[in-house]
Amino acid sequence: MTDVAAEDGPRIEPSARVLLHDLAVRRDRDEWIVGRMATRTFVALPAAGARALELLGEGRSVARTAETLRAETGEEFEITDFVRDLAALGFVARIADRPLPDAEPPRASLPWLRPRHVRFALHPAPAVLAGVLLAAAVAVLVRRPDLLPGYRDLLWSPHGSLVLFSGAAAGWALLLAHELAHLVTARAAGVPGRMRLGTRLQFLVMQTDISGIELAPRRHRMTAYLAGIALNLSVASALVLILAVTDTGTTAHRLLAAALLLALMPLPFQCMVFTRTDLYFVLQDVTGCRNLYGDGLAYARYVSRRVTRRLRPGRSTEAGDQSVEAGDPSVPLPPHERRAVRLYSVVLVAGTAACLAFMAAVTLPVDVALLVRAVRGLGPGHSLADTADSAAVLVTLGGINVLWLVTKWRDRRSRSGPSSP
């Protein structure tokens, strides 16, 4: 809602009537979430804004809407500027007899998948089934703790190339299934959704944009957020039950143990809420924050500036404190959001620092060691199997790093380019 939008927006006469696009509305505490599912654009409005939207949607003119609001609240409202802001968001189809240009909606993944095809995903039955599977797996593990996997279970074959390629294939298949679970549950709630590769700090991830789920009931929102974790737990539970009836020492048992570990490995990552994982969105919803990550990052930067000012010699502390206090980004937030944002900023800074330190101390040295060993394995005097394993390591690590760099470059380019309101 900027002054630029007001200056460059369409001309609006007081007698003009406004035709709105199909908008969804949901009350959230003291505000209203309003959005257009087709363009995945959403905004939080106060009660007066939601009422103005309702009056405009009924076909009242701009002037009549302002008069009605003044009669109901006793306050004056700039409805003309409000309509310009709505037009900038893409919520307005026509003002008077002038149609407004419309942005092309973002492309959805699997557009042929309709809500009626996957309505079952929001039924309580899948959640009950997942719970039963998990309870049965826990009961089996209590009786047979030897079925718990360890990192050595990944080395199910003496051929490193076979282990590497099979692990990569199974890992990416599970990752795709995880994201499909998000997409399916969101699509069942009427949200288009789009899957794509992305980066979180040093991690290459697959992510599903389900913007619009904010307008769904809380049970549907939580189902969409937790669908991926539930799928991983269900797959792992089923593998535990199959392992229990499979002879140990066989190739099938080793393969199942490796698959079990691959199904469980993404779950600790979900606890890293500072990288906006599935549990982050659950936390954001539970705390009632609009943008927990963005507000937490802004507050962390504010605290960093404040500490830096205090450490600078020869600077007036009192004047510096006053100027910094005036810029505290958490002050305008409601009390419940302010507390959550300040606490989350601590987790954000500590978690990010720990992740980057782990990358510098462990991940990079291991990658370098593997690459050096793989290059040496390509030299003369090595067997064909050793050469194949070395080539597999080089191809896999090289491919992952190139994919990470391309994805990071694309993310940076999309953030620096023009974005929708």
Side-chain angles (χ1 to χ4, degrees):
M1 310 287 182
T2 63
D3 293 334
V4 174
E7 294 172 1
D8 297 341
R11 183 180 177 183
I12 303 171
E13 300 292 343
S15 60
R17 286 178 168 79
V18 176
L19 177 64
L20 300 172
H21 286 290
D22 185 19
L23 303 177
V25 181
R26 175 180 68 84
R27 185 168 186 173
D28 186 56
R29 298 178 187 261
D30 297 329
E31 294 181 318
W32 297 79
I33 307 298
V34 180
R36 185 180 171 200
M37 202 70 70
T39 58
R40 302 174 206 169
T41 308
F42 309 92
V43 66
L45 296 177
R51 178 60 176 155
L53 203 64
E54 180 184 2
L55 295 172
L56 292 170
E58 291 174 355
R60 305 199 188 195
S61 67
V62 171
R64 185 65 184 278
T65 299
E67 292 173 3
T68 303
L69 283 175
R70 183 170 58 249
E72 293 178 352
T73 66
E75 299 180 10
E76 294 286 344
F77 294 93
E78 294 292 338
I79 301 301
T80 300
D81 291 341
F82 179 70
V83 171
R84 285 197 181 98
D85 290 338
L86 292 178
L89 289 167
F91 289 176
V92 179
R94 188 174 70 240
I95 298 177
D97 58 350
R98 302 189 307 276
L100 298 186
D102 196 10
E104 185 178 353
R107 186 172 57 183
S109 298
L110 308 183
W112 49 267
L113 191 65
R114 304 297 181 186
R116 66 177 185 275
H117 299 153
V118 290
R119 195 71 68 188
F120 67 89
L122 296 177
H123 194 275
V128 172
L129 177 60
V132 170
L133 270 175
L134 181 60
V138 170
V140 168
L141 289 174
V142 169
R143 295 183 59 187
R144 291 191 55 185
D146 59 292
L147 294 179
L148 282 170
Y151 73 92
R152 288 188 177 86
D153 288 317
L154 289 176
L155 307 175
W156 61 273
S157 170
H159 301 290
S161 56
L162 193 57
V163 169
L164 205 57
F165 285 132
S166 62
W172 280 99
L174 284 167
L175 184 60
L176 180 61
H178 177 106
E179 297 305 322
L180 275 174
H182 292 302
L183 181 70
V184 165
T185 50
R187 189 67 54 83
V191 178
R194 183 184 179 188
M195 297 189 302
R196 64 185 183 90
L197 288 175
T199 56
R200 293 288 186 268
L201 293 178
Q202 71 264 39
F203 305 106
L204 177 67
V205 299
M206 184 176 285
Q207 54 195 15
T208 305
D209 178 6
I210 54 174
S211 302
I213 201 66
E214 298 92 339
L215 294 164
R218 166 161 282 191
R219 185 177 72 84
H220 293 176
R221 299 198 305 270
M222 290 300 175
T223 302
Y225 296 147
L226 295 173
I229 295 176
L231 183 132
N232 279 82
L233 286 174
S234 298
V235 170
S237 300
L239 289 171
V240 167
L241 298 180
I242 298 172
L243 271 172
V245 296
T246 305
D247 293 335
T248 58
T250 61
T251 302
H253 191 278
R254 292 195 298 271
L255 278 170
L256 289 170
L260 173 58
L261 188 59
L262 288 171
L264 293 174
M265 281 173 60
L267 298 181
F269 174 76
Q270 297 298 336
C271 297
M272 299 165 60
V273 293
F274 52 90
T275 60
R276 288 169 290 170
T277 58
D278 299 346
L279 291 181
Y280 159 81
F281 291 100
V282 173
L283 180 64
Q284 181 173 251
D285 198 290
V286 169
T287 57
C289 295
R290 294 281 174 262
N291 184 7
L292 185 58
Y293 179 85
D295 292 337
L297 184 60
Y299 182 74
R301 287 172 174 168
Y302 153 76
V303 173
S304 176
R305 290 194 302 269
R306 184 177 181 181
V307 171
T308 303
R309 283 173 180 256
R310 288 190 172 184
L311 294 177
R312 286 178 183 172
R315 185 177 181 89
S316 172
T317 304
E318 183 178 353
D321 284 348
Q322 289 178 354
S323 63
V324 175
E325 287 291 346
D328 185 349
S330 68
V331 170
L333 299 174
H336 71 276
E337 286 194 47
R338 190 182 310 131
R339 290 190 295 269
V341 163
R342 290 179 175 179
L343 181 59
Y344 177 76
S345 68
V346 177
V347 177
L348 175 62
V349 172
T352 301
C355 258
L356 295 178
F358 185 85
M359 179 182 68
V362 178
T363 306
L364 288 178
V366 168
D367 282 349
V368 171
L370 286 175
L371 286 171
V372 169
R373 184 180 300 177
V375 170
R376 288 176 178 173
L378 295 177
H382 295 277
S383 65
L384 183 60
D386 290 339
T387 302
D389 288 345
S390 297
V393 170
L394 285 174
V395 170
T396 304
L397 289 179
I400 291 174
N401 284 305
V402 168
L403 192 58
W404 185 90
L405 288 171
V406 171
T407 305
K408 195 74 172 178
W409 173 80
R410 187 206 61 196
D411 288 348
R412 285 183 175 274
R413 186 178 181 183
S414 63
R415 284 196 294 267
S416 62
S419 59
S420 60

